[in-house]
Amino acid sequence: MPKRKPDTDHPEHHERHTFKKAKKNEVKSADTAVASAGYSLPEKADQRSIEQGSSETPKTRKRALKAARRKHRGKDPGSQTASQRNAKVNGDVSSSEHLLKAQEAQRPKRQQSKGQQHPQQMNTIPETAQQKGHGHNPDDTQPKQPIKALKEKQPKKRRQASQEHRPSKSGPQISEANEQRKKDEVVQQSHSLPSWIVSDATGGQMLDHDPLFSTNEEYLLIAHQSSVNVYATATSILVRELRLDGSERLSAFAFSCSDPSCLYAATRSGAIQAWNWLEGRKIRSWHTKCPIYALAVSKVGSEDESDLVYSINRKEARPWIISAHRLEPSRDADENDLVTLRTSREPITSFKVVNDGKLIVATSGSVLTLGTTQQIGQSSLSDLSYTWRDVECPEWISYLDVRTVEPEDTSKDTGSKTDEHIPRTDIVIGGLRGSIHVYDDLLTQLISGEKKSGKGSPVNLTSRTKHWHRNAVLSVKWSRDGNYILSGGLETVLLIWQLETGNLDTLPHLGAPLDGIVVSPSGSGYAIRLADNSAMILSTAELKPTFSVAGLQLPAGRSTRTQLPFLTNVDAPKASSIPSQRLSYPVATGPTGLLCAVPSATSSRIPTALPQHASYLQTFDVSSAHQISRQALTRTKATDLTVGPESNTIEEPDIVLMQISHDGQWLATVDEWMPPKRDMAPITHDDVQAIEEQTSRRETYLKFWAWNNDSKVWALVSRIDNPHALQTGLADEKSRVLDLAADPLSNTFATIGQDGAIRIWSSSTRQRHGLDVKDRKGQGLTSWKCRSTIALESGALSPQTFTEAKLAYSQDGSCLAAACVSPRPWTICLVDPMSGSVRTGPYGPFTGSLSGLGILDKYLILLSEQLCVWNLVTQELVYGFQLAPPKLQVESNRMAVDFQGATFAVVLSEAAGMISKKGSNNVRSKILIFEPADPMPIFVQKLPQPATALTTLYNRPGYLVVNSAAEIRTLTPRHARLDLTTALPSPPPTPSRGLQEIYGDPKTHVDLHVEEARKQMAASIPAAGVGPRVDDEGANVVPQEKLAEVFNVGPAYAMPPITDLFERVARLFAGKTGV
């Protein structure tokens, strides 16, 4: 039956046609809004590319676009306006046109009124569309290309554009149109870039792996968790950095035997990457689909160019495996020959592959395993097999080194032929209890013993034993000639054993335990890796350092290598007494770099019952990833014996708070010390009384340090014992310092303690008998004292019940916000530091912990279990919402306020992925940057590891984040670029008149004839030339000693800026003092 032609004059058809047209325009406007948010519509070409292998299917992309259109049109109930709901309820078809007009009218208003309309209560933190579409991943080596914005279909303009591209006589007009189009694309891409820049990770903890020397010993390769750094041994300068892709973590690395420029790097996910370390270029990557813990390389054959790569693998809750891989460049990245050589239920702690793969030596607990083969170079890797022999050692093996020597061929002289070519194999092992065992020609002894007593029967083996170490031997190595053995451990001493004479040479006081020793290929130097995240090279002849490099010395997470077993001692009578690892330490930024309170060592292989107290101050240059200085801030000295009369380790004081003044010249620290719990046992009856006695004997010190420009260290100026003592008159009534804050405009600090009081500390000149006390240079000596004490109203609450507190200065220093956490609901107080008046407002009550407090402009910011922002002028809550609780609480959330950029940042810890069967999961962090008046974060970035510290950059906008791997990332705002369509050409630079324009003419009267002569001579010289030199009898003569004082201020990496040097030299030649 033919279809009936619709009646166009019917009013019902007219209304239906109007509704369809309105819906079409509504979809087009929704597509435009979707494009502005960072999405693009799937075209036919995109559909084909998606079907050919893209991760995003057309179906999922279509669903996302439909959801965005539905949200824009108002189908989402949460985003519908009153007019939209009425239009749906009434069912009026003509109201769709009014709806579209209302949406178009509301769109610019929403953009203009951003930050004015704020929800009072939110459940989760919102994410901006920019972050959803253009989030920058700091671990990506290549920047992501910005998504192109959607262009509406305009047939008429396309016809006009096609006519413009037709050949015509108006060539300049076409070129101008193309240039304008290119400018629009550049501007469009610049607007689509993220508003903040996240730098690559710098610093980081050195991998628990021995460094590698290059063949010519010109370079030293040191591995970190996310990169391999190449240093020049002559200058200690970082030459190249081989950074892994994404969130990959390095587990082992080794040189190729077939190509000296190739380096193999293994990751925890099971990938093996081949790098050209001379060019910094990744060649290929192979995937084993099994985590790798160790790596070794040998040759396949004399004519084959491929390598045979050995690895220790283990999947979760499965046996340990020693496997061999043949990685050939002709194969695909996911294909390689693989064979399993040995499996073990016990952990395989280390292994060595020597003699071109014919001998494998592995350790598993106290068992030493040797594997031999003669099948290297076979065409098929499946034919490779080893004969394994086990040797039971006297103690648990903590380190291993192997040395092989080819025997001399005596078959021609004797006429006899041996059935098997056995090289001389000398093995030295380090024990867990401090012994060193040397096995001479072990493989020959095993084979000859089997021939005498039969295969599988026990063989009586003897070893030479050396004993000096009190703790586990962390590293032991053979010298190149085999006459010496080098060892090191927790005693911070390098030992050199001479085997023939039995003499022992020591190099003490290296500053930290020795985690690794490497002998150079020529034997001219020893590379030592220390537990404080530093490395050095010592010359063999003089034992003097010729190379030194130090990273950020904050403790990192657990090592990829197997932890050493626990041994009971005086400090730890049982394994349950081992505390959890501490990762959070005080940090601050100053003009000299990043200041970190760090412990003396950061070794992660040895479990210890002692807490890792921060007793040292490290100054670290973030830009060059180089340590500037390191000094002790507590009474502990590195050269003193830290062992008590009962062989117990003496604990060091712990720096818990640290702040730097606004000009970077003063440093305030708070350190604490308590006697260990075991010392309270003789005078107490139970654990509760022991803890009370331990707390009453706590020592708290507030110290003020001044920066010394001559020695480039912090000098102690004042020390205040127990700065927040309770006003009871009793000696044992002590209270802790809970927080420390620095005034942003003056050299003033504020502290708050358990006594519920705020103390303001300021500096003053020392006086004696009414006269100022001066030093040798005639400068007045400074001391610090408490200027005022401000008591907070605590009511019936005891001051000792305060567990946490936070202080925050306003930008002008006129207001101080304080909050004390107690078991009952608590509020925030506003304090005037000058008058001491305390005011309370509608800022609370709250319960739970306190993570951050700050004042920015006229807003008060609080971070606890909620994020709340108040307007201090109107005393109203601008916005506040409950933070989504993370799946795993590891560290508390953090907050930092940036006065330079008028923003504040929040770091939240979250669990990435589902929790495994054993209860472990991968913990990550998310950083959110807000403007105080807007609840929508302007930037959201996920970090692959939990953040342990968050602070602002010094004298510039931005933030600095330190994660649990001791890596540093900076977040800086991207400055707005000039619009190419409206940018005006810059005027030509005016020629400078030299130093007289900057510092003025030292002569007040100038001869007119001389001035006229100068002008004539200047006119005769070309404009690009240099002006004539005029001899002046009264010119200032600068002696060489004065110039030496300007430039001899320290090493090259600690030199002041070039502008300061230029200004000092200019002042010398201008005859001005005060240089």
Side-chain angles (χ1 to χ4, degrees), residues 622-635:
V622 180
S623 59
S624 61
H626 195 280
Q627 173 182 294
I628 298 177
S629 63
R630 183 174 183 262
Q631 69 178 94
L633 292 185
T634 61
R635 64 175 181 269

PDB file of all heavy atoms in Angstrom, residues 622-635:
ATOM      1  N   VAL A 622      66.841  21.041  43.453  1.00  0.00           N
ATOM      2  CA  VAL A 622      65.847  20.279  42.702  1.00  0.00           C
ATOM      3  C   VAL A 622      66.142  20.336  41.207  1.00  0.00           C
ATOM      4  O   VAL A 622      65.957  19.339  40.495  1.00  0.00           O
ATOM      5  CB  VAL A 622      64.431  20.804  43.002  1.00  0.00           C
ATOM      6  CG1 VAL A 622      63.384  20.025  42.225  1.00  0.00           C
ATOM      7  CG2 VAL A 622      64.147  20.722  44.488  1.00  0.00           C
ATOM      8  N   SER A 623      66.582  21.458  40.685  1.00  0.00           N
ATOM      9  CA  SER A 623      66.789  21.599  39.247  1.00  0.00           C
ATOM     10  C   SER A 623      67.886  20.682  38.739  1.00  0.00           C
ATOM     11  O   SER A 623      67.753  20.065  37.680  1.00  0.00           O
ATOM     12  CB  SER A 623      67.117  23.055  38.901  1.00  0.00           C
ATOM     13  OG  SER A 623      68.293  23.473  39.597  1.00  0.00           O
ATOM     14  N   SER A 624      68.987  20.570  39.477  1.00  0.00           N
ATOM     15  CA  SER A 624      70.104  19.725  39.044  1.00  0.00           C
ATOM     16  C   SER A 624      70.120  18.371  39.725  1.00  0.00           C
ATOM     17  O   SER A 624      71.005  17.554  39.423  1.00  0.00           O
ATOM     18  CB  SER A 624      71.434  20.432  39.318  1.00  0.00           C
ATOM     19  OG  SER A 624      71.600  20.683  40.701  1.00  0.00           O
ATOM     20  N   ALA A 625      69.175  18.108  40.645  1.00  0.00           N
ATOM     21  CA  ALA A 625      69.111  16.843  41.383  1.00  0.00           C
ATOM     22  C   ALA A 625      70.443  16.539  42.047  1.00  0.00           C
ATOM     23  O   ALA A 625      70.987  15.437  41.945  1.00  0.00           O
ATOM     24  CB  ALA A 625      68.675  15.697  40.470  1.00  0.00           C
ATOM     25  N   HIS A 626      70.988  17.530  42.734  1.00  0.00           N
ATOM     26  CA  HIS A 626      72.310  17.411  43.349  1.00  0.00           C
ATOM     27  C   HIS A 626      72.244  17.923  44.782  1.00  0.00           C
ATOM     28  O   HIS A 626      71.571  18.913  45.066  1.00  0.00           O
ATOM     29  CB  HIS A 626      73.340  18.208  42.544  1.00  0.00           C
ATOM     30  CG  HIS A 626      74.762  17.872  42.878  1.00  0.00           C
ATOM     31  ND1 HIS A 626      75.399  18.376  43.993  1.00  0.00           N
ATOM     32  CD2 HIS A 626      75.669  17.084  42.259  1.00  0.00           C
ATOM     33  CE1 HIS A 626      76.641  17.912  44.026  1.00  0.00           C
ATOM     34  NE2 HIS A 626      76.829  17.119  42.999  1.00  0.00           N
ATOM     35  N   GLN A 627      72.958  17.238  45.666  1.00  0.00           N
ATOM     36  CA  GLN A 627      73.011  17.679  47.053  1.00  0.00           C
ATOM     37  C   GLN A 627      73.957  18.858  47.200  1.00  0.00           C
ATOM     38  O   GLN A 627      75.075  18.846  46.688  1.00  0.00           O
ATOM     39  CB  GLN A 627      73.480  16.526  47.940  1.00  0.00           C
ATOM     40  CG  GLN A 627      73.735  16.925  49.388  1.00  0.00           C
ATOM     41  CD  GLN A 627      74.247  15.802  50.233  1.00  0.00           C
ATOM     42  OE1 GLN A 627      73.539  14.839  50.470  1.00  0.00           O
ATOM     43  NE2 GLN A 627      75.487  15.890  50.687  1.00  0.00           N
ATOM     44  N   ILE A 628      73.505  19.890  47.918  1.00  0.00           N
ATOM     45  CA  ILE A 628      74.330  21.060  48.158  1.00  0.00           C
ATOM     46  C   ILE A 628      75.106  20.923  49.457  1.00  0.00           C
ATOM     47  O   ILE A 628      76.309  21.161  49.498  1.00  0.00           O
ATOM     48  CB  ILE A 628      73.460  22.333  48.166  1.00  0.00           C
ATOM     49  CG1 ILE A 628      72.785  22.528  46.795  1.00  0.00           C
ATOM     50  CG2 ILE A 628      74.290  23.555  48.519  1.00  0.00           C
ATOM     51  CD1 ILE A 628      71.854  23.710  46.732  1.00  0.00           C
ATOM     52  N   SER A 629      74.442  20.526  50.526  1.00  0.00           N
ATOM     53  CA  SER A 629      75.120  20.376  51.809  1.00  0.00           C
ATOM     54  C   SER A 629      74.329  19.411  52.674  1.00  0.00           C
ATOM     55  O   SER A 629      73.159  19.104  52.405  1.00  0.00           O
ATOM     56  CB  SER A 629      75.276  21.720  52.525  1.00  0.00           C
ATOM     57  OG  SER A 629      73.997  22.268  52.834  1.00  0.00           O
ATOM     58  N   ARG A 630      74.984  18.950  53.754  1.00  0.00           N
ATOM     59  CA  ARG A 630      74.364  18.052  54.727  1.00  0.00           C
ATOM     60  C   ARG A 630      75.039  18.291  56.067  1.00  0.00           C
ATOM     61  O   ARG A 630      76.267  18.257  56.153  1.00  0.00           O
ATOM     62  CB  ARG A 630      74.521  16.592  54.308  1.00  0.00           C
ATOM     63  CG  ARG A 630      73.835  15.579  55.242  1.00  0.00           C
ATOM     64  CD  ARG A 630      73.936  14.201  54.625  1.00  0.00           C
ATOM     65  NE  ARG A 630      73.263  13.190  55.412  1.00  0.00           N
ATOM     66  CZ  ARG A 630      73.870  12.375  56.264  1.00  0.00           C
ATOM     67  NH1 ARG A 630      75.181  12.471  56.437  1.00  0.00           N
ATOM     68  NH2 ARG A 630      73.193  11.465  56.931  1.00  0.00           N
ATOM     69  N   GLN A 631      74.253  18.558  57.106  1.00  0.00           N
ATOM     70  CA  GLN A 631      74.805  18.847  58.415  1.00  0.00           C
ATOM     71  C   GLN A 631      73.888  18.292  59.486  1.00  0.00           C
ATOM     72  O   GLN A 631      72.695  18.038  59.252  1.00  0.00           O
ATOM     73  CB  GLN A 631      74.987  20.354  58.610  1.00  0.00           C
ATOM     74  CG  GLN A 631      73.685  21.135  58.720  1.00  0.00           C
ATOM     75  CD  GLN A 631      73.886  22.605  58.970  1.00  0.00           C
ATOM     76  OE1 GLN A 631      73.920  23.394  58.061  1.00  0.00           O
ATOM     77  NE2 GLN A 631      74.014  22.961  60.243  1.00  0.00           N
ATOM     78  N   ALA A 632      74.447  18.074  60.671  1.00  0.00           N
ATOM     79  CA  ALA A 632      73.690  17.560  61.807  1.00  0.00           C
ATOM     80  C   ALA A 632      73.001  18.705  62.530  1.00  0.00           C
ATOM     81  O   ALA A 632      73.582  19.770  62.738  1.00  0.00           O
ATOM     82  CB  ALA A 632      74.612  16.812  62.763  1.00  0.00           C
ATOM     83  N   LEU A 633      71.747  18.481  62.933  1.00  0.00           N
ATOM     84  CA  LEU A 633      70.972  19.481  63.664  1.00  0.00           C
ATOM     85  C   LEU A 633      70.723  19.082  65.108  1.00  0.00           C
ATOM     86  O   LEU A 633      70.142  19.862  65.852  1.00  0.00           O
ATOM     87  CB  LEU A 633      69.624  19.722  62.967  1.00  0.00           C
ATOM     88  CG  LEU A 633      69.666  20.400  61.599  1.00  0.00           C
ATOM     89  CD1 LEU A 633      68.255  20.665  61.120  1.00  0.00           C
ATOM     90  CD2 LEU A 633      70.460  21.683  61.639  1.00  0.00           C
ATOM     91  N   THR A 634      71.131  17.895  65.496  1.00  0.00           N
ATOM     92  CA  THR A 634      70.955  17.452  66.871  1.00  0.00           C
ATOM     93  C   THR A 634      72.319  17.232  67.511  1.00  0.00           C
ATOM     94  O   THR A 634      73.358  17.427  66.884  1.00  0.00           O
ATOM     95  CB  THR A 634      70.126  16.163  66.927  1.00  0.00           C
ATOM     96  OG1 THR A 634      70.817  15.136  66.201  1.00  0.00           O
ATOM     97  CG2 THR A 634      68.764  16.371  66.283  1.00  0.00           C
ATOM     98  N   ARG A 635      72.308  16.803  68.748  1.00  0.00           N
ATOM     99  CA  ARG A 635      73.560  16.676  69.487  1.00  0.00           C
ATOM    100  C   ARG A 635      74.359  15.445  69.084  1.00  0.00           C
ATOM    101  O   ARG A 635      75.480  15.262  69.521  1.00  0.00           O
ATOM    102  CB  ARG A 635      73.273  16.599  70.981  1.00  0.00           C
ATOM    103  CG  ARG A 635      72.473  15.379  71.400  1.00  0.00           C
ATOM    104  CD  ARG A 635      72.334  15.320  72.902  1.00  0.00           C
ATOM    105  NE  ARG A 635      71.601  14.153  73.348  1.00  0.00           N
ATOM    106  CZ  ARG A 635      70.305  14.114  73.527  1.00  0.00           C
ATOM    107  NH1 ARG A 635      69.591  15.198  73.280  1.00  0.00           N
ATOM    108  NH2 ARG A 635      69.702  13.016  73.938  1.00  0.00           N
TER     109      ARG A 635
END
